[in-house]
Amino acid sequence: MARIPPIRMGLSRRDFLKICTIATATMGLPVEMVDKVAAAVKSSERPPVIWLHFMECTGCTESLLRSSHPPLARLILELISLEYHETLMAGAGEQAEEALKEALKKYKGRYICVVEGAVSTKDGGIYCQIGGRPAIEILRTVGEKAGAVIAIGTCASFGGIQAAAPNPTGAVKVSQVLSRPVINIPGCPPNPYNFLSTVLYTLTFGHPPELDDLSRPKFAYGRRIHDQCPRRPHFDEGRFVESFGDPAHQQGYCLYKVGCKGPVTYSNCPVQRFCDVGAWPIGSGHPCIGCTEPSFWDRMSPFYEHLPKIYIPAGGGIRVEAEKAGRVAVGAAAAVVAAHATIGAAKKVLKSISGKEKDQEE
């Protein structure tokens, strides 16, 4: 592998390659593509980004900032030219609004618009205003002039908790306001690598990744959690947790009977976990609540209610007749093998990188 120097913000070569390798694996690309992805990151052209905040909790930004081992946030901030971001920018008030106006004028048609949060539409959108302007007006001004629009988090992608019945503010998803394509990166919050990998894919190949029928990148949302879950063997053998804290729960059995929505939720949570420490709900003993799916706050709640239609054949073992919301399921076995093979190969590369670095340091 070609030697790549540290990037400007102080990331070591080792951390830089770790991030690029994990992102490449997340995209489902072979490890041979790591150099190409790394070269795209090292390009002197940094895409300008205008990051809008509307009806949300800022959890998506916080999850990016608090990613660690290696410090992913540093690479993201090095990778893009962040022109406007209410949480991170030093300016405030009129100074911040002036920065937004200048960025819109300077980078018209070239910037990436990232939207975090749902958009209020009722009563002219008065329930979410910034600088005296309704969010819906700001989104139309910024989003329609962007080179690309990314909705980060379930609130921006599908409306989120703000859109829960009876939805008094008329909260809607970003794509419902704009008359242009929007890339959705759902999750509450989404995995930072899903966002990073989407940006890296676009920079590397010059076009967005393949999307599913909900405009989500297929590399991250093309497979059901159920098909990749490490507790799946227990499901197949009919070994279930009946209540939280029971012996089956302590032994890591399937969480389906205590409300796990993994069979109807599409995400790469089992293979690309949070913060590089293996964290994810099912791994921590909590059922999936389906946060990457539309209307999970209404359609999938109460969260601890069992999913319907368990079929137990006479010969033992079970299967689920879960609705797929009109989506065509991918070949589960092939997808799982491919995903684990890619992640496994990536781990080997990381081990090799660490070994070489150690030899060089000695």
Side-chain angles (χ1 to χ4, degrees), residues 9-351:
M9 288 190 73
L11 277 179
S12 68
R13 173 180 174 270
R14 179 187 302 180
D15 282 347
F16 175 59
L17 285 179
K18 280 181 179 180
I19 294 173
C20 290
T21 302
I22 295 171
T24 302
T26 301
M27 290 184 272
L29 300 175
V31 293
E32 291 79 9
M33 293 296 296
V34 172
D35 279 346
K36 187 169 183 177
V37 172
V41 176
K42 294 299 293 180
S43 171
S44 59
E45 294 188 16
R46 300 166 63 200
V49 172
I50 295 177
W51 194 300
L52 302 176
H53 285 265
F54 297 138
M55 302 172 74
E56 38 78 35
C57 66
T58 318
C60 300
T61 287
E62 292 294 342
S63 69
L64 288 174
L65 295 177
R66 278 144 182 71
S67 298
S68 57
H69 312 298
L72 176 61
R74 274 202 251 168
L75 178 61
I76 292 175
L77 294 177
E78 173 71 8
L79 176 65
I80 63 178
S81 176
L82 196 56
E83 301 297 320
Y84 179 87
H85 189 297
E86 294 166 17
T87 304
L88 301 180
M89 65 194 306
E94 293 182 0
Q95 186 180 34
E97 292 305 301
E98 189 60 33
L100 175 59
K101 291 178 183 178
E102 291 180 6
L104 289 174
K105 182 178 179 180
K106 183 177 180 180
Y107 300 109
K108 182 179 179 180
R110 296 192 291 123
Y111 60 85
I112 297 174
C113 174
V114 178
V115 186
E116 186 173 346
V119 186
S120 171
T121 61
K122 190 175 180 180
D123 299 328
I126 63 172
Y127 303 104
C128 179
Q129 299 188 68
I130 301 166
R133 299 170 62 201
I136 190 171
E137 177 186 325
I138 298 172
L139 176 57
R140 285 172 176 159
T141 300
V142 178
E144 297 294 356
K145 298 176 183 177
V149 179
I150 298 176
I152 185 169
T154 299
C155 297
S157 298
F158 304 131
I161 301 299
Q162 291 73 231
N167 193 2
T169 64
V172 300
K173 57 187 177 181
V174 171
S175 61
Q176 202 166 326
V177 174
L178 299 178
S179 58
R180 57 169 302 154
V182 175
I183 300 173
N184 292 325
I185 312 291
C188 195
N191 191 306
Y193 273 105
N194 291 343
F195 173 75
L196 172 65
S197 297
T198 299
V199 174
L200 283 180
Y201 188 103
T202 304
L203 292 178
T204 302
F205 298 104
H207 59 81
E210 185 180 2
L211 306 178
D212 68 6
D213 62 328
L214 295 176
S215 297
R216 305 175 297 189
K218 282 189 175 181
F219 67 73
Y221 304 96
R223 296 179 291 274
R224 292 183 300 171
I225 285 178
H226 186 65
D227 296 331
Q228 309 168 81
C229 183
R231 297 180 187 239
R232 176 64 185 267
H234 295 299
F235 176 93
D236 292 339
E237 294 302 319
R239 296 189 290 262
F240 296 102
V241 174
E242 299 292 341
S243 63
F244 293 106
D246 69 10
H249 193 206
Q250 295 173 26
Q251 294 179 61
Y253 284 6
C254 178
L255 297 163
Y256 181 85
K257 284 192 175 183
V258 287
C260 184
K261 305 303 187 291
V264 291
T265 301
Y266 287 74
S267 182
N268 60 353
C269 297
V271 293
Q272 183 55 64
R273 302 175 186 178
F274 273 77
C275 301
D276 306 304
V277 295
W280 71 300
I282 292 177
S284 301
H286 192 283
C288 168
I289 64 172
C291 75
T292 62
E293 297 297 317
S295 302
F296 85 89
W297 47 92
D298 288 330
R299 183 168 61 87
M300 292 187 175
S301 61
F303 296 129
Y304 303 109
E305 198 171 82
H306 299 184
L307 290 171
K309 298 182 182 178
I310 290 183
Y311 167 64
I312 305 179
I318 71 172
R319 62 186 177 88
V320 63
E321 301 289 352
E323 292 183 0
K324 297 180 178 64
R327 292 187 294 278
V328 178
V330 297
V336 172
V337 171
H340 283 282
T342 304
I343 297 296
K347 288 180 179 178
K348 290 181 181 179
V349 171
L350 292 177
K351 185 176 181 181

